[in-house]
Amino acid sequence: KKTIKSLPFKEISPKVNADELIKRLKACLKYVEECDELEDTYSSQLTSLAVVLSSVAIAHHKRKEVQLLSACVLVNLLRLYYPDPPFTENQMKDVFSLFIDQLYALESPSNPLFNWSFSLLEQLATLKVFTICLNIDAQDTLAELFSKVLSIVNHDQSTKVHMYLMDILIGIVQEGEHLSTAIIDTILINILEPQKSD
């Protein structure tokens, strides 16, 4: 297996101009996607990278590509650090919010950022990332997730997109011992409203 032996990409920083930052993030994403495991030697460097990517300056960058690429890198870092993500509980909530915000590109297959968003979705579903929310105080984050997913599902999407989106929600329902009223309300609204329009 290929392991992390070096970090062959330039520093990721909000101070870098947007086009250069996107270029660096693409190189960073390619690198972490190819990593199968984490070597202790580089753990601190990647932890610092994870913190930078979850910062407000990057997560709320004016360029959508920066936000989405950062999310794709972060989900791969979670895979490498599993089962101990390199974040505090509050940082973890910020990361989840970033993930949720990037799902918008799935609404239309013609969106130029669709492929990155789909790659993010695939990882989120496969790794069952959002079940971490069940172990921290993040019911609001889960309610936000349910609302986003149920608002973007449509007939233009592929079966795979629907499958991954539903896998995420069903996994949370199955593993959660208690779901907040906000989550239950979101589910019920999305069931009842379409029936009213019919």
Side-chain angles (χ1 to χ4, degrees):
K1 285 185 175 182
K2 180 177 179 179
T3 56
I4 297 175
K5 296 179 180 178
S6 63
L7 298 179
F9 49 84
K10 295 180 180 179
E11 180 187 7
I12 306 297
S13 167
K15 296 178 182 179
V16 178
N17 76 70
D19 288 338
E20 175 63 21
L21 182 55
I22 290 168
K23 182 179 177 182
R24 294 184 185 187
L25 283 167
K26 286 180 179 179
C28 179
L29 177 59
K30 183 177 184 298
Y31 181 70
V32 294
E33 282 181 334
E34 293 175 353
C35 293
D36 292 321
E37 57 189 63
L38 181 69
E39 284 189 355
D40 291 340
T41 310
Y42 300 102
S43 178
S44 62
Q45 295 177 53
L46 289 174
T47 297
S48 298
L49 172 64
V51 172
V52 170
L53 292 175
S54 63
S55 68
V56 172
I58 296 289
H60 296 279
H61 197 280
K62 62 182 180 181
R63 291 284 293 274
K64 294 292 187 182
E65 297 98 318
V66 170
Q67 296 180 28
L68 187 45
L69 283 166
S70 297
C72 289
V73 173
L74 281 166
V75 76
N76 276 281
L77 289 177
L78 287 179
R79 171 177 59 80
L80 292 172
Y81 277 93
Y82 183 85
D84 300 309
F87 300 107
T88 64
E89 186 170 309
N90 285 334
Q91 287 173 332
M92 198 72 246
K93 291 178 186 179
D94 291 339
V95 170
F96 285 136
S97 290
L98 175 62
F99 290 159
I100 294 167
D101 288 344
Q102 303 319 304
L103 297 179
Y104 75 91
L106 294 169
E107 194 163 7
S108 171
S110 63
N111 190 309
L113 301 181
F114 177 87
N115 288 339
W116 284 335
S117 191
F118 180 80
S119 177
L120 173 64
L121 171 67
E122 187 175 25
Q123 290 275 43
L124 291 173
T126 302
L127 301 174
K128 298 184 176 181
V129 168
F130 282 100
T131 57
I132 296 173
C133 290
L134 298 171
N135 301 319
I136 62 177
D137 182 22
Q139 289 284 326
D140 288 348
T141 302
L142 289 177
E144 181 186 355
L145 170 67
F146 272 76
S147 180
K148 172 66 78 174
V149 168
L150 294 172
S151 70
I152 65 173
V153 171
N154 62 68
H155 296 299
D156 294 331
Q157 294 161 331
S158 68
T159 302
K160 272 194 172 181
V161 170
H162 289 168
M163 180 183 72
Y164 284 136
L165 288 171
M166 291 305 105
D167 280 351
I168 291 173
L169 300 191
I170 291 169
I172 292 168
V173 171
Q174 288 178 336
E175 296 193 29
E177 293 181 3
H178 172 72
L179 297 178
S180 70
T181 303
I183 295 174
I184 302 300
D185 287 347
T186 300
I187 296 172
L188 290 175
I189 288 170
N190 279 274
I191 292 174
L192 296 176
E193 287 301 319
Q195 291 181 352
K196 286 182 180 179
S197 61
D198 292 343

